[in-house]
Amino acid sequence: GLKPGSRVLDVGCNIGTLGHYLGKVGVATIGVDINFYALQLGNQKFGVNGGNRLIQSSGMTLPFDSGSFSHVVSQDLFEHINGEEQAGRVFQEMQRVGNGKMLHKVTVLEDREWIDADISHRIKKPAIWWSNFFARKGWTTVRPTTRADMILDSRGFRRREMHGYFLLAKSTL
């Protein structure tokens, strides 16, 4: 549902790559990340273009008015948060500033090679746990959380299932 003029908040944006590419098609993106050095590198690499900005924030208190964004996204953020309570507070802030759909990529237990590869992964739960987490907050997962991609590695081309893609819409019940 993104189109030119959409406003996206990317929480845990790292250097802001997503916002850079969305800016090329007219989508204004603000990226927030706790890592000042990643943001600094992003500003050096991409500059500020198309209304895109990078701001330092933990995500626990987002410096934006309620309903400021048409979409809120995160990629590989939630598994790094220090427990369910803090994850709930970050998600609450995302809800407050958002005004539409959300997309969150979470490294989940089904992606065993990835979940165990990074010692900073603090929340190690299966996809169904995350679907229930979002549902308890009033959001419905509207697409399957698993997708298949073709990858090329040392064994050649192969199909690989990737888990933890949560396209969310506000529940109507």
Side-chain angles (χ1 to χ4, degrees):
L2 292 177
K3 55 186 173 250
S6 294
R7 285 183 40 86
V8 173
L9 176 64
D10 181 4
V11 181
C13 69
N14 197 277
I15 66 170
T17 304
L18 177 65
H20 170 72
Y21 287 108
L22 289 176
K24 290 184 175 294
V25 294
V27 174
T29 305
I30 303 221
V32 298
D33 201 286
I34 197 168
N35 186 334
F36 173 78
Y37 297 104
L39 298 171
Q40 192 174 39
L41 178 60
N43 281 328
Q44 290 170 0
K45 182 173 181 152
F46 301 125
V48 176
N49 60 21
N52 296 338
R53 293 185 294 146
L54 300 176
I55 297 172
Q56 187 176 22
S57 171
S58 69
M60 302 277 274
T61 54
L62 294 169
F64 309 107
D65 292 335
S66 296
S68 297
F69 298 91
S70 57
H71 297 76
V72 177
V73 300
S74 72
Q75 182 174 342
D76 298 324
L77 167 77
F78 280 104
E79 65 271 21
H80 294 277
I81 295 175
N82 203 14
E84 183 180 351
E85 182 180 323
Q86 282 189 358
R89 282 191 264 157
V90 170
F91 190 74
Q92 182 177 341
E93 275 294 278
M94 291 175 174
Q95 291 180 93
R96 182 184 66 76
V97 301
N99 193 17
K101 290 185 178 178
M102 291 196 211
L103 174 64
H104 302 290
K105 166 58 180 93
V106 182
T107 302
V108 295
L109 206 53
E110 290 88 341
D111 281 326
R112 184 52 80 178
E113 80 179 89
W114 295 107
I115 195 82
D116 290 335
D118 186 338
I119 62 169
S120 70
H121 289 162
R122 293 182 179 96
I123 304 177
K124 296 182 178 186
K125 302 289 184 180
I128 190 67
W129 186 90
W130 285 105
S131 288
N132 291 332
F133 171 85
F134 296 128
R136 288 192 304 273
K137 311 288 186 228
W139 291 76
T140 302
T141 303
V142 297
R143 290 211 178 129
T145 62
T146 299
R147 70 179 209 197
D149 284 335
M150 293 299 291
I151 64 167
L152 175 63
D153 63 14
S154 60
R155 295 176 281 184
F157 278 103
R158 63 185 173 100
R159 183 179 183 272
R160 177 169 168 223
E161 285 193 347
M162 298 177 67
H163 307 277
Y165 291 87
F166 298 90
L167 179 60
L168 305 175
K170 191 72 175 155
S171 298
T172 56
L173 299 176

PDB file of all heavy atoms in Angstrom, residues 51-69:
ATOM      1  N   GLY A  51      12.895  14.137   1.850  1.00  0.00           N
ATOM      2  CA  GLY A  51      12.211  14.248   3.134  1.00  0.00           C
ATOM      3  C   GLY A  51      12.618  13.172   4.121  1.00  0.00           C
ATOM      4  O   GLY A  51      12.041  13.065   5.190  1.00  0.00           O
ATOM      5  N   ASN A  52      13.621  12.365   3.784  1.00  0.00           N
ATOM      6  CA  ASN A  52      14.064  11.305   4.685  1.00  0.00           C
ATOM      7  C   ASN A  52      15.058  11.855   5.700  1.00  0.00           C
ATOM      8  O   ASN A  52      15.915  12.668   5.375  1.00  0.00           O
ATOM      9  CB  ASN A  52      14.699  10.162   3.892  1.00  0.00           C
ATOM     10  CG  ASN A  52      13.695   9.493   2.981  1.00  0.00           C
ATOM     11  OD1 ASN A  52      12.492   9.584   3.205  1.00  0.00           O
ATOM     12  ND2 ASN A  52      14.171   8.831   1.959  1.00  0.00           N
ATOM     13  N   ARG A  53      14.899  11.373   6.941  1.00  0.00           N
ATOM     14  CA  ARG A  53      15.794  11.794   8.021  1.00  0.00           C
ATOM     15  C   ARG A  53      16.116  10.602   8.906  1.00  0.00           C
ATOM     16  O   ARG A  53      15.339   9.655   8.970  1.00  0.00           O
ATOM     17  CB  ARG A  53      15.134  12.869   8.892  1.00  0.00           C
ATOM     18  CG  ARG A  53      14.916  14.182   8.193  1.00  0.00           C
ATOM     19  CD  ARG A  53      14.368  15.235   9.143  1.00  0.00           C
ATOM     20  NE  ARG A  53      13.027  14.866   9.584  1.00  0.00           N
ATOM     21  CZ  ARG A  53      12.532  15.130  10.794  1.00  0.00           C
ATOM     22  NH1 ARG A  53      13.261  15.750  11.677  1.00  0.00           N
ATOM     23  NH2 ARG A  53      11.312  14.787  11.112  1.00  0.00           N
ATOM     24  N   LEU A  54      17.223  10.689   9.610  1.00  0.00           N
ATOM     25  CA  LEU A  54      17.617   9.681  10.589  1.00  0.00           C
ATOM     26  C   LEU A  54      17.713  10.354  11.950  1.00  0.00           C
ATOM     27  O   LEU A  54      18.329  11.417  12.078  1.00  0.00           O
ATOM     28  CB  LEU A  54      18.968   9.061  10.212  1.00  0.00           C
ATOM     29  CG  LEU A  54      19.028   8.369   8.854  1.00  0.00           C
ATOM     30  CD1 LEU A  54      20.455   7.889   8.571  1.00  0.00           C
ATOM     31  CD2 LEU A  54      18.054   7.208   8.800  1.00  0.00           C
ATOM     32  N   ILE A  55      17.099   9.732  12.962  1.00  0.00           N
ATOM     33  CA  ILE A  55      17.036  10.317  14.300  1.00  0.00           C
ATOM     34  C   ILE A  55      17.412   9.246  15.320  1.00  0.00           C
ATOM     35  O   ILE A  55      16.962   8.104  15.217  1.00  0.00           O
ATOM     36  CB  ILE A  55      15.607  10.832  14.588  1.00  0.00           C
ATOM     37  CG1 ILE A  55      15.245  11.955  13.617  1.00  0.00           C
ATOM     38  CG2 ILE A  55      15.459  11.281  16.031  1.00  0.00           C
ATOM     39  CD1 ILE A  55      13.806  12.396  13.688  1.00  0.00           C
ATOM     40  N   GLN A  56      18.183   9.639  16.330  1.00  0.00           N
ATOM     41  CA  GLN A  56      18.540   8.690  17.377  1.00  0.00           C
ATOM     42  C   GLN A  56      17.394   8.573  18.381  1.00  0.00           C
ATOM     43  O   GLN A  56      16.892   9.562  18.894  1.00  0.00           O
ATOM     44  CB  GLN A  56      19.817   9.118  18.089  1.00  0.00           C
ATOM     45  CG  GLN A  56      20.304   8.071  19.065  1.00  0.00           C
ATOM     46  CD  GLN A  56      21.627   8.434  19.717  1.00  0.00           C
ATOM     47  OE1 GLN A  56      21.992   9.601  19.771  1.00  0.00           O
ATOM     48  NE2 GLN A  56      22.325   7.437  20.219  1.00  0.00           N
ATOM     49  N   SER A  57      16.960   7.336  18.634  1.00  0.00           N
ATOM     50  CA  SER A  57      15.908   7.052  19.608  1.00  0.00           C
ATOM     51  C   SER A  57      15.942   5.571  19.934  1.00  0.00           C
ATOM     52  O   SER A  57      16.266   4.745  19.086  1.00  0.00           O
ATOM     53  CB  SER A  57      14.525   7.414  19.029  1.00  0.00           C
ATOM     54  OG  SER A  57      13.499   6.952  19.890  1.00  0.00           O
ATOM     55  N   SER A  58      15.588   5.233  21.156  1.00  0.00           N
ATOM     56  CA  SER A  58      15.526   3.830  21.564  1.00  0.00           C
ATOM     57  C   SER A  58      14.247   3.160  21.078  1.00  0.00           C
ATOM     58  O   SER A  58      14.140   1.944  21.108  1.00  0.00           O
ATOM     59  CB  SER A  58      15.586   3.718  23.089  1.00  0.00           C
ATOM     60  OG  SER A  58      14.383   4.233  23.657  1.00  0.00           O
ATOM     61  N   GLY A  59      13.277   3.936  20.669  1.00  0.00           N
ATOM     62  CA  GLY A  59      11.980   3.392  20.287  1.00  0.00           C
ATOM     63  C   GLY A  59      11.001   3.357  21.444  1.00  0.00           C
ATOM     64  O   GLY A  59       9.811   3.185  21.248  1.00  0.00           O
ATOM     65  N   MET A  60      11.481   3.526  22.662  1.00  0.00           N
ATOM     66  CA  MET A  60      10.596   3.504  23.836  1.00  0.00           C
ATOM     67  C   MET A  60       9.777   4.792  23.938  1.00  0.00           C
ATOM     68  O   MET A  60       8.669   4.771  24.453  1.00  0.00           O
ATOM     69  CB  MET A  60      11.420   3.320  25.107  1.00  0.00           C
ATOM     70  CG  MET A  60      12.243   2.053  25.099  1.00  0.00           C
ATOM     71  SD  MET A  60      11.339   0.626  25.606  1.00  0.00           S
ATOM     72  CE  MET A  60      11.552   0.736  27.344  1.00  0.00           C
ATOM     73  N   THR A  61      10.349   5.891  23.474  1.00  0.00           N
ATOM     74  CA  THR A  61       9.633   7.162  23.402  1.00  0.00           C
ATOM     75  C   THR A  61       9.997   7.787  22.069  1.00  0.00           C
ATOM     76  O   THR A  61      11.100   8.283  21.895  1.00  0.00           O
ATOM     77  CB  THR A  61      10.004   8.111  24.565  1.00  0.00           C
ATOM     78  OG1 THR A  61      11.407   8.272  24.599  1.00  0.00           O
ATOM     79  CG2 THR A  61       9.516   7.588  25.898  1.00  0.00           C
ATOM     80  N   LEU A  62       9.071   7.734  21.133  1.00  0.00           N
ATOM     81  CA  LEU A  62       9.326   8.259  19.791  1.00  0.00           C
ATOM     82  C   LEU A  62       8.945   9.736  19.744  1.00  0.00           C
ATOM     83  O   LEU A  62       7.856  10.111  20.193  1.00  0.00           O
ATOM     84  CB  LEU A  62       8.531   7.453  18.760  1.00  0.00           C
ATOM     85  CG  LEU A  62       8.970   5.994  18.629  1.00  0.00           C
ATOM     86  CD1 LEU A  62       7.970   5.194  17.798  1.00  0.00           C
ATOM     87  CD2 LEU A  62      10.360   5.914  18.022  1.00  0.00           C
ATOM     88  N   PRO A  63       9.823  10.579  19.205  1.00  0.00           N
ATOM     89  CA  PRO A  63       9.610  12.028  19.233  1.00  0.00           C
ATOM     90  C   PRO A  63       8.699  12.531  18.104  1.00  0.00           C
ATOM     91  O   PRO A  63       9.065  13.455  17.371  1.00  0.00           O
ATOM     92  CB  PRO A  63      11.038  12.566  19.084  1.00  0.00           C
ATOM     93  CG  PRO A  63      11.720  11.542  18.227  1.00  0.00           C
ATOM     94  CD  PRO A  63      11.126  10.221  18.639  1.00  0.00           C
ATOM     95  N   PHE A  64       7.514  11.922  17.976  1.00  0.00           N
ATOM     96  CA  PHE A  64       6.588  12.286  16.912  1.00  0.00           C
ATOM     97  C   PHE A  64       5.176  12.379  17.475  1.00  0.00           C
ATOM     98  O   PHE A  64       4.837  11.715  18.460  1.00  0.00           O
ATOM     99  CB  PHE A  64       6.611  11.237  15.788  1.00  0.00           C
ATOM    100  CG  PHE A  64       7.990  10.922  15.293  1.00  0.00           C
ATOM    101  CD1 PHE A  64       8.604   9.724  15.599  1.00  0.00           C
ATOM    102  CD2 PHE A  64       8.694  11.850  14.532  1.00  0.00           C
ATOM    103  CE1 PHE A  64       9.884   9.433  15.167  1.00  0.00           C
ATOM    104  CE2 PHE A  64       9.984  11.573  14.088  1.00  0.00           C
ATOM    105  CZ  PHE A  64      10.579  10.359  14.411  1.00  0.00           C
ATOM    106  N   ASP A  65       4.357  13.187  16.805  1.00  0.00           N
ATOM    107  CA  ASP A  65       2.947  13.299  17.190  1.00  0.00           C
ATOM    108  C   ASP A  65       2.211  12.006  16.884  1.00  0.00           C
ATOM    109  O   ASP A  65       2.593  11.246  15.988  1.00  0.00           O
ATOM    110  CB  ASP A  65       2.271  14.445  16.427  1.00  0.00           C
ATOM    111  CG  ASP A  65       2.795  15.816  16.842  1.00  0.00           C
ATOM    112  OD1 ASP A  65       3.300  15.945  17.979  1.00  0.00           O
ATOM    113  OD2 ASP A  65       2.706  16.745  16.017  1.00  0.00           O
ATOM    114  N   SER A  66       1.128  11.765  17.597  1.00  0.00           N
ATOM    115  CA  SER A  66       0.286  10.599  17.349  1.00  0.00           C
ATOM    116  C   SER A  66      -0.249  10.645  15.924  1.00  0.00           C
ATOM    117  O   SER A  66      -0.613  11.708  15.416  1.00  0.00           O
ATOM    118  CB  SER A  66      -0.887  10.575  18.334  1.00  0.00           C
ATOM    119  OG  SER A  66      -0.404  10.428  19.653  1.00  0.00           O
ATOM    120  N   GLY A  67      -0.248   9.493  15.260  1.00  0.00           N
ATOM    121  CA  GLY A  67      -0.787   9.389  13.902  1.00  0.00           C
ATOM    122  C   GLY A  67       0.047  10.061  12.835  1.00  0.00           C
ATOM    123  O   GLY A  67      -0.461  10.363  11.758  1.00  0.00           O
ATOM    124  N   SER A  68       1.337  10.279  13.082  1.00  0.00           N
ATOM    125  CA  SER A  68       2.193  10.992  12.135  1.00  0.00           C
ATOM    126  C   SER A  68       2.549  10.202  10.880  1.00  0.00           C
ATOM    127  O   SER A  68       2.943  10.788   9.880  1.00  0.00           O
ATOM    128  CB  SER A  68       3.516  11.385  12.810  1.00  0.00           C
ATOM    129  OG  SER A  68       3.295  12.268  13.874  1.00  0.00           O
ATOM    130  N   PHE A  69       2.434   8.868  10.932  1.00  0.00           N
ATOM    131  CA  PHE A  69       2.936   8.031   9.840  1.00  0.00           C
ATOM    132  C   PHE A  69       1.841   7.124   9.291  1.00  0.00           C
ATOM    133  O   PHE A  69       1.038   6.588  10.038  1.00  0.00           O
ATOM    134  CB  PHE A  69       4.120   7.183  10.316  1.00  0.00           C
ATOM    135  CG  PHE A  69       5.282   8.010  10.753  1.00  0.00           C
ATOM    136  CD1 PHE A  69       5.417   8.409  12.080  1.00  0.00           C
ATOM    137  CD2 PHE A  69       6.233   8.428   9.839  1.00  0.00           C
ATOM    138  CE1 PHE A  69       6.468   9.206  12.481  1.00  0.00           C
ATOM    139  CE2 PHE A  69       7.296   9.223  10.230  1.00  0.00           C
ATOM    140  CZ  PHE A  69       7.417   9.616  11.556  1.00  0.00           C
TER     141      PHE A  69
END
